[in-house]
Amino acid sequence: MAAHTLNIYMLSLGRMHCHIYGRNVHKALNRATYATALSTNNSSLNKGFPDRGSRGPIIRRPRREEGEPRKDKMPVDQDWTAVYPTAAPFRPGSVPLPVRMGFPVKRGVPPEKKGNLELIKIPNFLHLTPTAIKKHCEAMKLFCTEWPSALDTNVKCDEHFPIKIECKDYVSAGTSIRNPSARIVNLRVKLSSLNLDDHAGKKMAKLLGERYYKETDIITIITDSCPVRQQNYDYAMYLLTVLYHESWKTEAWESEKTVADMEEYSWEDSPSQKNALSTLVRMQIAGEVEGDAVRDKLLGRPEVQEYRESVIRLMNEGESESSILQYREAVKKLLKL
Amino acid sequence: MAPTAVSNKLKATHRKQFQELQEAGEKGERERTMTLHRLFPLRLRQTIAQVRLLHGSGCGHQLEEVAMEPELRKETSVFRTQVNDPACQSERHLGQYYTLPTSHLHTIFPHGLPARYQQQVKTFNEGCVMVRQPALELISYLKAADYSKPAVRYLLYGLKGSGKTMSLCHTIHYCSTQGWLVLHIPDAHLWVKNCKELLPSSYHTSRFDQPIEASNWLRNFRTTNERFLSKIKLRQRYTWTKRESTEKGSPLGELVDMGVSRVKSSSDVVGAVLKELRLQAAETEESEGFRLAVAIDGVNSLWGRTTIKKEDKSPVAPEELTLIHNLRKMIDNNWCGGAVIATLSQTGSLYSPSSAYLPKELLGEEGFDSMDPFIPVPVSNYSEKEFESCYLYYLDRHWLQHPHSKTDEGKKEIIFLSNRNPSVLERLCAFL
């Protein structure tokens, strides 16, 4: 065993020696050539690269000439979906648009698209042109069922299906197919499609608060408190049912509703009515007997009705030049100017 | 002697202009007047008229010159009117300036005019007010109203700087010339802010007095309504302290003097004065009655917030101020024989956005309910015609010194910059 190892050591030593010897010889030769021939060229033609010894020179493929950029060869009626079939970064050579992006230097313009990192960094939707989307739809049609032919207008859809549920599904390339945002359920329904009377409608609007938008009359309930979509959907339907039934009930404390709580201005029993009546009464002065009959008679007059209309308009709609002018005309008639 | 002396007076430049005028004169009468007005301001025109008269006597063009004179007068009065009495003004005078007599300026408006207008009056040595549609409308309502009925409330509203206070002053001038008693509160905003002294009221424990503002106002009231002070007699006895009281039947002047001299009780004096006037305005003309005009500028301050604080740093509500409390009583229409003319003002108002100018925005719910039913009178920026006359007036007064402002282009620039808003225009022209 010991001899064996020794042998190996000897061999390796020997090889090393030879190696060293060989090199020295090599170098000597080199030196010799250098000394006599006075040439600067290395016989190995290294061009300044480090000496690779017996490994040989670094083989670099000769640089190809770059061809014409694709945008110059594009016909006008080409198929764009072939250029950008999927989401891909911005390639200046493939997009035939003279786009510029970036902060311009002083007295300059934004930099051009060639070599522009800003354009590459931002997301682009070049793969989602209308033609591309049509192709996607055609491909997806295989998996879809027919739209019912009876529901051809939006009005009919609203009539038969007033409640609209919106959920989102998420697809991404990653290790997990789950996305927690997919549990959110958005329920939309028009208040007018629910069977509510005047009091119930106002109470519902008050209960919903921000979730009810008066301009479009739409109730929006967004639920995301449960972990599963099915649970959120059930919760949203439950909320709707409870709101409906609660708003039909009238509680005892609802009788304490004050003027400040009212949604709309009502002229009856308002300070405006009192002022108008007292002014009219004072204008009649002597001879008239105070009483409900007089009051009703005064209220029934056309000027008073007109005045009432203008005040209601001012209060409910807010002020504008035209509403103020209408108020002015009404007051002038009332005061007989 | 005369022609040579006068022509020596004219400088070389004027001589050139004069030659141009003569050339224009060959073309025709109209051309001549146009060139005359273009080249020469008023004073020089009068000089030239004299010169031409003298020349004309030599050349035989006498009749023409004489005919020129009245035409001159007519042309210059395009933006001025000689009708100085507001009662006689009508739609014909729309857009024209009428002069306020200086005596009236001192008596009727000791504190009423806007500050910048007062400076303008001092600069121009005359107070000229433009006759505008809102004021005329108000005056027509006042003329047509029945004064046995409860007082009608009028409210002037409009954008900032559109001329509400000036319209109010115009209406007050009318009321004064008609012999009404004018209760003018120049800026109600001054009563709800920056009060140096706040005394607890002796009359009502929860209220506060403002002696300085009240005595100031009483002094100005005295100046405005001198002739009424001796005529109106008090109906009630007012006790100020254990030893002082004003008897029933004494003239109003005595009360006012007492308020001015005894500053501590001046707010209560104001309250008493207002009450007396309210009760007595209802009388008919024969039994020494009078008409009462309550003119309040910045009426929205009565129902807003104040910046005055009590000693424990809690804010004072407007109702807790005696002056405001009494003024609110005046605005109610439970008295007859007069009118309440009010202006909204955003400029001095507290806690209101600067773009607000419509009545309900500035008055608030409470204010609207108190003023209701009232007649809102809108005041807008200058119309084309009004702008023209304002521009001509400034030119006439030599207020526009910049040479470019006298050209058409300069005028267009001025219109663009000011959007024909009276106050902006005035401030702009002050630079030119």
Side-chain angles (χ1 to χ4, degrees):
Chain A
M1 233 301 290
H4 184 68
T5 41
L6 252 173
N7 269 339
I8 290 164
Y9 283 143
M10 285 300 290
L11 269 167
S12 55
L13 266 170
R15 218 174 283 134
M16 262 174 23
H17 274 296
C18 287
H19 192 74
I20 291 163
Y21 250 58
R23 192 178 271 174
N24 281 337
V25 163
H26 203 63
K27 272 203 177 125
L29 270 171
N30 273 343
R31 253 182 248 127
T33 48
Y34 180 80
T36 50
L38 282 170
S39 70
T40 49
N41 256 343
N42 271 348
S43 60
S44 57
L45 284 166
N46 275 339
K47 282 193 193 165
F49 289 122
D51 188 24
R52 283 169 67 92
S54 61
R55 281 190 294 178
I58 304 169
I59 300 168
R60 295 274 156 98
R61 281 187 208 91
R63 191 191 166 125
R64 282 195 315 190
E65 279 301 313
E66 46 180 75
E68 236 188 332
R70 186 171 177 175
K71 62 179 168 79
D72 295 336
K73 292 186 271 188
M74 281 178 176
V76 178
D77 54 351
Q78 69 168 335
D79 180 22
W80 182 255
T81 53
V83 184
Y84 268 89
T86 46
F90 182 84
R91 287 186 289 266
S94 304
V95 178
L97 304 167
V99 176
R100 285 179 175 270
M101 179 154 168
F103 192 82
V105 293
K106 255 194 216 172
R107 310 185 63 83
V109 290
E112 55 175 15
K113 63 176 176 172
K114 188 165 174 203
N116 195 331
L117 194 60
E118 302 292 322
L119 280 166
I120 300 175
K121 283 196 287 194
I122 55 168
N124 66 65
F125 294 94
L126 295 160
H127 57 291
L128 292 176
T129 50
T131 342
I133 298 198
K134 271 209 185 78
K135 284 194 183 172
H136 297 163
C137 291
E138 289 300 325
M140 282 204 283
K141 267 198 182 143
L142 292 168
F143 307 102
C144 299
T145 54
E146 280 272 345
W147 183 261
S149 52
L151 296 174
D152 41 4
T153 57
N154 268 342
V155 175
K156 279 197 196 156
C157 291
D158 287 342
E159 189 196 318
H160 294 285
F161 299 96
I163 299 182
K164 302 198 196 316
I165 307 283
E166 191 179 302
C167 322
K168 286 187 193 161
D169 289 301
Y170 296 81
V171 172
S172 68
T175 45
S176 163
I177 57 167
R178 312 286 168 197
N179 192 322
S181 314
R183 74 186 194 282
I184 301 174
V185 170
N186 186 330
L187 186 148
R188 270 200 304 263
V189 68
K190 273 211 166 127
L191 189 68
S192 43
S193 56
L194 298 169
N195 181 19
L196 297 166
D197 72 350
D198 193 43
H199 158 264
K202 287 190 181 151
K203 186 166 173 184
M204 179 87 136
K206 271 211 189 315
L207 284 170
L208 285 167
E210 275 218 351
R211 295 173 190 81
Y212 173 62
Y213 189 43
K214 210 162 152 206
E215 313 288 313
T216 54
D217 197 40
I218 292 183
I219 301 171
T220 315
I221 297 178
I222 304 180
T223 38
D224 62 350
S225 37
C226 304
V228 175
R229 186 190 283 169
Q230 175 64 35
Q231 294 168 342
N232 279 321
Y233 170 75
D234 288 338
Y235 181 48
M237 295 307 285
Y238 163 74
L239 281 177
L240 192 63
T241 325
V242 161
L243 279 166
Y244 177 79
H245 289 297
E246 281 302 312
S247 53
W248 269 107
K249 296 184 205 162
T250 314
E251 304 278 339
W253 43 260
E254 279 184 45
S255 55
E256 292 163 25
K257 195 173 180 187
T258 61
V259 174
D261 292 323
M262 297 285 181
E263 295 85 6
E264 275 185 343
Y265 180 77
S266 75
W267 193 67
E268 287 68 32
D269 287 333
S270 76
S272 171
Q273 188 198 30
K274 292 189 199 107
N275 286 342
L277 279 176
S278 58
T279 319
L280 281 173
V281 163
R282 272 181 230 135
M283 277 164 69
Q284 317 286 28
I285 334 168
E288 297 273 351
V289 179
E290 282 281 346
D292 282 330
V294 172
R295 196 163 159 268
D296 292 329
K297 204 169 73 168
L298 283 174
L299 279 175
R301 282 219 215 130
E303 303 96 60
V304 179
Q305 291 301 314
E306 211 183 304
Y307 173 70
R308 174 177 169 270
E309 296 292 328
S310 61
V311 173
I312 288 179
R313 188 182 161 199
L314 248 177
M315 293 287 184
N316 280 341
E317 270 179 44
E319 287 178 300
S320 63
E321 287 291 325
S322 57
S323 61
I324 300 237
L325 287 174
Q326 188 191 4
Y327 176 76
R328 189 162 93 128
E329 297 306 313
V331 173
K332 273 207 284 200
K333 283 201 197 128
L334 195 72
L335 300 173
K336 296 196 190 64
L337 266 173
Chain B
M1 173 267 197
T4 41
V6 174
S7 43
N8 284 339
K9 266 194 221 168
L10 290 173
K11 292 184 212 161
T13 43
H14 287 177
R15 214 168 282 142
K16 258 189 242 153
Q17 286 173 328
F18 193 60
Q19 277 167 4
E20 205 189 305
L21 192 62
Q22 276 189 318
E23 278 156 41
E26 321 293 347
K27 294 179 204 162
E29 181 77 63
R30 187 89 189 122
E31 288 278 352
R32 190 165 26 178
T33 29
M34 295 298 282
T35 345
L36 189 73
H37 285 277
R38 187 165 49 83
L39 293 173
F40 300 100
L42 183 61
R43 276 184 290 111
L44 272 173
R45 261 181 246 148
Q46 286 164 349
T47 330
I48 286 156
Q50 289 168 7
V51 168
R52 298 191 77 241
L53 260 177
L54 295 163
H55 271 277
S57 54
C59 311
H61 290 294
Q62 243 172 338
L63 289 168
E64 257 181 317
E65 264 69 63
V66 168
M68 266 273 287
E69 288 278 65
E71 208 185 303
L72 263 176
R73 295 275 151 74
K74 212 167 41 172
E75 291 260 358
T76 52
S77 68
V78 161
F79 61 91
R80 266 189 210 275
T81 171
Q82 306 305 319
V83 180
N84 282 347
D85 184 13
C88 311
Q89 284 159 357
S90 67
E91 270 88 38
R92 283 188 304 123
H93 305 108
L94 270 179
Q96 295 180 0
Y97 279 87
Y98 81 95
T99 332
L100 282 171
T102 24
S103 56
H104 285 191
L105 264 177
H106 290 303
T107 46
I108 309 177
F109 299 117
H111 57 170
L113 297 167
R116 279 197 81 94
Y117 184 73
Q118 276 174 354
Q119 287 172 345
Q120 190 183 302
V121 168
K122 220 163 58 167
T123 321
F124 291 171
N125 255 340
E126 61 169 9
C128 277
V129 179
M130 197 197 275
V131 175
R132 288 183 77 193
Q133 206 273 328
L136 275 183
E137 201 184 317
L138 255 183
I139 293 175
S140 67
Y141 290 149
L142 290 173
K143 281 186 200 167
D146 182 355
Y147 291 104
S148 55
K149 302 253 176 73
V152 186
R153 279 88 57 99
Y154 306 95
L155 189 67
L156 286 160
Y157 72 96
L159 288 166
K160 226 196 254 199
S162 56
K164 304 181 282 285
T165 313
M166 288 310 293
S167 301
L168 185 71
C169 293
H170 188 160
T171 324
I172 291 172
H173 187 218
Y174 165 77
C175 296
S176 286
T177 48
Q178 296 293 304
W180 293 32
L181 200 158
V182 174
L183 251 159
H184 185 42
I185 289 116
D187 195 359
H189 292 300
L190 295 172
W191 288 0
V192 296
K193 52 182 180 176
N194 302 335
C195 182
K196 300 262 176 13
E197 261 185 47
L198 199 67
L199 300 172
S201 168
S202 46
Y203 183 66
H204 202 282
T205 34
S206 64
R207 290 202 214 125
F208 293 95
D209 273 356
Q210 286 156 294
I212 310 176
E213 280 94 3
S215 51
N216 266 340
W217 185 79
L218 278 171
R219 213 171 295 132
N220 289 321
F221 174 74
R222 191 170 51 186
T223 333
T224 320
N225 300 302
E226 288 283 356
R227 51 206 161 122
F228 288 102
L229 293 177
S230 45
K231 277 203 276 177
I232 303 174
K233 304 278 185 275
L234 298 176
R235 293 282 173 81
Q236 205 191 323
R237 185 168 184 260
Y238 292 100
T239 328
W240 308 115
T241 57
K242 278 196 205 123
R243 267 166 263 161
E244 284 162 18
S245 63
T246 322
E247 295 299 325
K248 185 170 158 179
S250 51
L252 193 67
E254 206 183 292
L255 190 63
V256 177
D257 287 327
M258 214 217 83
V260 174
S261 52
R262 229 163 275 286
V263 179
K264 262 203 172 155
S265 47
S266 47
S267 320
D268 293 322
V269 169
V270 171
V273 163
L274 291 177
K275 188 164 144 193
E276 286 295 318
L277 291 173
R278 207 167 52 225
L279 290 171
Q280 295 198 18
E283 317 271 284
T284 51
E285 293 280 306
E286 294 89 46
S287 64
E288 281 186 27
F290 56 89
R291 301 240 185 100
L292 182 61
V294 182
I296 308 177
D297 201 337
V299 76
N300 46 320
S301 61
L302 297 180
W303 296 284
R305 288 160 64 179
T306 66
T307 47
I308 309 177
K309 292 204 173 42
K310 294 182 227 174
E311 268 157 15
D312 55 352
K313 306 281 174 79
S314 59
V316 174
E319 323 45 89
E320 291 177 16
L321 293 168
T322 339
L323 288 172
I324 307 290
H325 181 86
N326 291 321
L327 206 55
R328 281 197 196 177
K329 284 197 237 167
M330 289 304 287
I331 296 186
D332 277 335
N333 62 351
N334 47 11
W335 55 279
C336 332
V340 178
I341 313 159
T343 331
L344 285 177
S345 168
Q346 196 283 324
T347 321
S349 73
L350 298 160
Y351 305 107
S352 68
S354 60
S355 56
Y357 72 97
L358 291 167
K360 208 156 85 72
E361 283 176 301
L362 284 172
L363 285 174
E365 289 289 337
E366 212 190 321
F368 187 82
D369 288 331
S370 312
M371 290 283 288
D372 193 40
F374 62 91
I375 299 191
V377 181
V379 181
S380 56
N381 287 338
Y382 281 154
S383 67
E384 300 264 353
K385 190 170 162 214
E386 288 168 346
F387 177 81
E388 278 296 322
S389 44
C390 184
Y391 178 74
L392 287 172
Y393 177 65
Y394 284 143
L395 276 179
D396 175 60
R397 293 279 100 201
H398 302 295
W399 193 230
L400 293 169
Q401 290 288 323
H402 198 282
H404 189 59
S405 61
K406 297 178 186 145
T407 62
D408 259 341
E409 272 211 24
K411 196 160 125 185
K412 279 190 205 152
E413 274 186 33
I414 296 177
I415 296 181
F416 177 73
L417 283 170
S418 63
N419 196 23
R420 289 200 221 106
N421 181 295
S423 83
V424 173
L425 177 66
E426 197 260 311
R427 274 162 221 262
L428 201 60
C429 294
F431 294 120
L432 298 172

